[in-house]
C-alpha cells in the first residue's frame, strides 16, 4: 500500500501543479483511472486532489469485477478506524467515478469519528429536549446517553441537542444506535453539496421504509420519463451483452416530492433479488445512481456466493448470511412490492444548484413539521467538507424503529411483511 499511497500523494500534487514533473508511473496511474489533468486546475481538480490525499491514508485500495455487470467499475478500500479496519466501496461507469465514490465514503467514515474538535459542541444531557418523544422511541430501553451534541437547526432559528452517539462514532459508545451511522453523513466538494447529499440520503431511506416495511407500492416509470433515457443505455453499458438478469425501475417518490427511484434485478426465474435505491434532485440522476447501486449489490452477492462455494457456509459472517437470505428468499414473481401499481406520476424534482435545492427541501420538510438538524463534521486534516444531517420524524431503513409516517403506511396497506416474509431490505 506504501506505493499506492505515494502515487495518490503524487497525483494530488500533479493536479494542483500540472506543469510540475510527473513520473511515468504517475502518468500511467492517472491514465488508468481516466483522470484528466487540465493545464489550469479549477475547483474540481482541487477537490479531486483532496480525495487523492485522503486515499493515501487508507490501508488498502483495490478494484473488483462484477460477473453480471462487467461494465461496472468498482473500487474497494480498507480504512483504519481505531485499532481495526473498516471497509468502504464505490461504483461508477468509470474507474475515476468509482474511485471518487469509494474515497468519499472513506472520508465520510473518518469525518464521523469523534475528535477533540467536537469538544466545543459537546455537553451534558439537557434538562429537557424538544425531541424527547422521538428519542424515547428510537433509543434502546434504559439508555441514558451521557454526552450530547449541539446541532444547528436549518428550518428555523436556533439549535437542538441530541445524544452524541446518534451523530459521532465513539470507540466505546454508551448505547447502540438504531441505524448505521453512515446514513445521513456525507462528504462533498462544498458544504452545501455535502449537506444536500446527506439530506437526500435521509429522504431515500424514508421512502425505502415506507415501501419495504410500510407496504406502500411503487409506481411505474414511463417510457417518456427522463429516467428511462438514462436507464436503458446505462444498463446496456454495464451488462455488455450479459443476459443472465432482468432489470426494471420503480418510482418510490413519496409525499415529499423528491425523486426516489429503485432499480431492481433478478434472474430469469425471478431468483437472486438485488436492489439499488437513490434520491436525487432529478429523476434521471436518481435512476442512474440506483442502477449503479443495484449492480454493486449484484457484485456483493457474487462475492459471498464465491466465498461460500470456496470455503463452505461456516466462513460466512452475519452480513453474508443476511445477503444470501435476501438473495434466495425474495422472488420477483411472489413479491408484489417489486412491481408497480397505478399510473406513472413524474414530478419536477429540485434545483440543480445544491444551495437552492437545500433551501427548497429544508422549507418543504419544515412545512410538514419535520425539523432539519445539521452538524459540520469537516476535519482539518482531510480538508473535505463533511456534514451530518438528522431529521426527527423521517423513517430510516434499515432500522428497528417505527415512527408516525411508517405507522400510517402500515395502517393503510397492512404492511410489507406479508410480501417480503419479514426479510430485511438492507
Amino acid at each position: 500500500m506504501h506505493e499506492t499511497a505515494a502515487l495518490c500523494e503524487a497525483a494530488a500534487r500533479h493536479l494542483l501543479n500540472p506543469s510540475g514533473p510527473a513520473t511515468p508511473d504517475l502518468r500511467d496511474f492517472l491514465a488508468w483511472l481516466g483522470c484528466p489533468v487540465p493545464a489550469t486546475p479549477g475547483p474540481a481538480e482541487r477537490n479531486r486532489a483532496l480525495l487523492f490525499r485522503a486515499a493515501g491514508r487508507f490501508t488498502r485500495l483495490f478494484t473488483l469485477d462484477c460477473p453480471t455487470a462487467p461494465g461496472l467499475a468498482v473500487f474497494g478500500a480498507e480504512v483504519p478506524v481505531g485499532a481495526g479496519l473498516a471497509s468502504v466501496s464505490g461504483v461508477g461507469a468509470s474507474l475515476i467515478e468509482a474511485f471518487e465514490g469509494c474515497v468519499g465514503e472513506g472520508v465520510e467514515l473518518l469525518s464521523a469519528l469523534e475528535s477533540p474538535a467536537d469538544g466545543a459542541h459537546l455537553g451534558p444531557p439537557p434538562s429537557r429536549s424538544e425531541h424527547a418523544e422521538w428519542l424515547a422511541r428510537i433509543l434502546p430501553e434504559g439508555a441514558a446517553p451521557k454526552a450530547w451534541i449541539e446541532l444547528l437547526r436549518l428550518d428555523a432559528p436556533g439549535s437542538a441537542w441530541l445524544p452524541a452517539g446518534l451523530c459521532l462514532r465513539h470507540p466505546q459508545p454508551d448505547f447502540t444506535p438504531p441505524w448505521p451511522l453512515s446514513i445521513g453523513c456525507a462528504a462533498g466538494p462544498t458544504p452545501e453539496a455535502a449537506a444536500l447529499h446527506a439530506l437526500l440520503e435521509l429522504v431515500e431511506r424514508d421512502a425505502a421504509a415506507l415501501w419495504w416495511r410500510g407496504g406502500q407500492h411503487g409506481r411505474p416509470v414511463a417510457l417518456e420519463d427522463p429516467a428511462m433515457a438514462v436507464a436503458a443505455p446505462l444498463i446496456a453499458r454495464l451488462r455488455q451483452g450479459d443476459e443472465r438478469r432482468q432489470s426494471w425501475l420503480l418510482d418510490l417518490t413519496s409525499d415529499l416530492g423528491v425523486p426516489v427511484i429503485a432499480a431492481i434485478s433478478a434472474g430469469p426465474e425471478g431468483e437472486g433479488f438485488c436492489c439499488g435505491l437513490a434520491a436525487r434532485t432529478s429523476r434521471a440522476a436518481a435512476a442512474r445512481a440506483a442502477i449503479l447501486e443495484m449492480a454493486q449489490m449484484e457484485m456483493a452477492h457474487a462475492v459471498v456466493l464465491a466465498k461460500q462455494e470456496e470455503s463452505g457456509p461456516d466462513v460466512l459472517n452475519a452480513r453474508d448470511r443476511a445477503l444470501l437470505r435476501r438473495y434466495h428468499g425474495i422472488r420477483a414473481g411472489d413479491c408484489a412490492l417489486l412491481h408497480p401499481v397505478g399510473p406513472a406520476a413524474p414530478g419536477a424534482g429540485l434545483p440543480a444548484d445544491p444551495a437552492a435545492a437545500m433551501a427548497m427541501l429544508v422549507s418543504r420538510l419544515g412545512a410538514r413539521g419535520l425539523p432539519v438538524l445539521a452538524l459540520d463534521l469537516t476535519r482539518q486534516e482531510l480538508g473535505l467538507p463533511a456534514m451530518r444531517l438528522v431529521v426527527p420524524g423521517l423513517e430510516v431503513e434499515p432500522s428497528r424503529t417505527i415512527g408516525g409516517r411508517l405507522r400510517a403506511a402500515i395502517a393503510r396497506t397492512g404492511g410489507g411483511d406479508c410480501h417480503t416474509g419479514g426479510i430485511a431490505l438492507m
Side-chain angles (χ1 to χ4, degrees):
M1 179 59 199
H2 176 73
E3 181 181 346
T4 303
L7 273 175
C8 286
E9 178 57 35
R13 290 196 304 268
H14 190 55
L15 282 171
L16 297 175
N17 181 22
S19 61
T23 64
D25 283 352
L26 174 58
R27 293 189 184 280
D28 289 345
F29 177 56
L30 293 172
W32 172 70
L33 280 175
C35 177
V37 184
T40 304
E45 286 67 46
R46 288 191 285 273
N47 179 72
R48 192 167 280 167
L50 290 171
L51 288 171
F52 273 112
R53 286 205 168 118
R57 302 165 61 97
F58 296 175
T59 303
R60 184 175 169 230
L61 272 168
F62 53 91
T63 58
L64 292 167
D65 296 321
C66 179
T68 56
L72 181 72
V74 187
F75 253 99
E78 291 179 344
V79 182
V81 178
L85 295 172
S87 297
V88 295
S89 61
V91 295
S94 65
L95 277 174
I96 188 61
E97 182 185 7
F99 174 82
E100 290 183 333
C102 176
V103 179
E105 189 172 301
V107 169
E108 293 165 14
L109 178 65
L110 293 172
S111 298
L113 297 175
E114 186 174 334
S115 79
D118 299 312
H121 302 285
L122 292 172
S127 56
R128 61 175 297 277
S129 170
E130 60 181 301
H131 304 299
E133 183 179 343
W134 175 69
L135 290 170
R137 186 173 67 247
I138 69 169
L139 292 179
E141 186 176 356
K146 298 179 178 63
W148 290 59
I149 193 163
E150 187 178 22
L151 289 84
L152 179 67
R153 185 160 179 177
L154 300 184
D155 62 303
S159 61
W161 287 82
L162 294 180
L166 291 177
C167 304
L168 300 170
R169 298 177 184 271
H170 192 277
Q172 295 178 319
D174 51 13
F175 66 90
T176 301
W179 46 71
L181 287 183
S182 58
I183 299 173
C185 180
T190 65
E192 293 81 7
L196 178 62
H197 191 131
L199 190 52
L200 286 173
E201 184 175 36
L202 293 177
V203 170
E204 168 204 312
R205 297 311 178 95
D206 175 78
L210 297 179
W211 172 49
W212 199 254
R213 287 190 286 151
Q216 191 165 286
H217 286 269
R219 291 183 296 277
V221 179
L223 291 175
E224 296 81 4
D225 194 300
M228 281 299 192
V230 167
L234 178 58
I235 283 291
R237 180 176 178 179
L238 296 178
R239 297 287 186 219
Q240 294 188 355
D242 191 295
E243 299 179 351
R244 284 177 286 176
R245 298 183 70 82
Q246 300 170 341
S247 313
W248 62 98
L249 300 180
L250 274 182
D251 179 8
L252 300 183
T253 303
S254 71
D255 59 307
L256 301 178
V258 178
V260 182
I261 298 292
I264 298 166
S265 75
E269 302 299 322
E271 78 285 2
F273 165 70
C274 288
C275 177
L277 297 163
R280 293 293 187 271
T281 56
S282 73
R283 296 170 64 80
R288 184 182 191 277
I291 289 168
L292 290 173
E293 185 177 299
M294 174 196 75
Q296 183 178 22
M297 186 57 66
E298 292 177 15
M299 185 212 62
H301 282 106
V303 169
V304 173
L305 290 169
K307 182 178 175 181
Q308 178 179 243
E309 183 176 351
E310 181 178 334
S311 304
D314 292 342
V315 303
L316 302 183
N317 58 34
R319 183 176 180 275
D320 294 337
R321 289 191 291 272
L323 282 169
L324 289 183
R325 184 176 180 223
R326 181 170 58 247
Y327 188 81
H328 294 300
I330 301 293
R331 297 185 69 86
D334 302 328
C335 182
L337 287 182
L338 303 188
H339 306 286
V341 171
L350 297 170
D353 175 69
M358 272 296 293
M360 180 178 289
L361 183 49
V362 167
S363 175
R364 193 175 294 175
L365 291 166
R368 286 166 171 75
L370 296 166
V372 182
L373 313 178
L375 177 65
D376 189 344
L377 294 178
T378 304
R379 305 305 185 190
Q380 185 177 359
E381 64 272 20
L382 296 171
L384 286 155
M387 299 291 293
R388 161 80 64 195
L389 272 289
V390 181
V391 182
L394 284 186
E395 306 297 339
V396 180
E397 186 73 21
S399 173
R400 61 175 179 268
T401 65
I402 298 178
R405 289 169 62 79
L406 181 53
R407 193 176 297 110
I410 293 172
R412 285 194 308 270
T413 69
D417 283 359
C418 61
H419 303 293
T420 67
I423 295 175
L425 177 63
M426 301 176 182

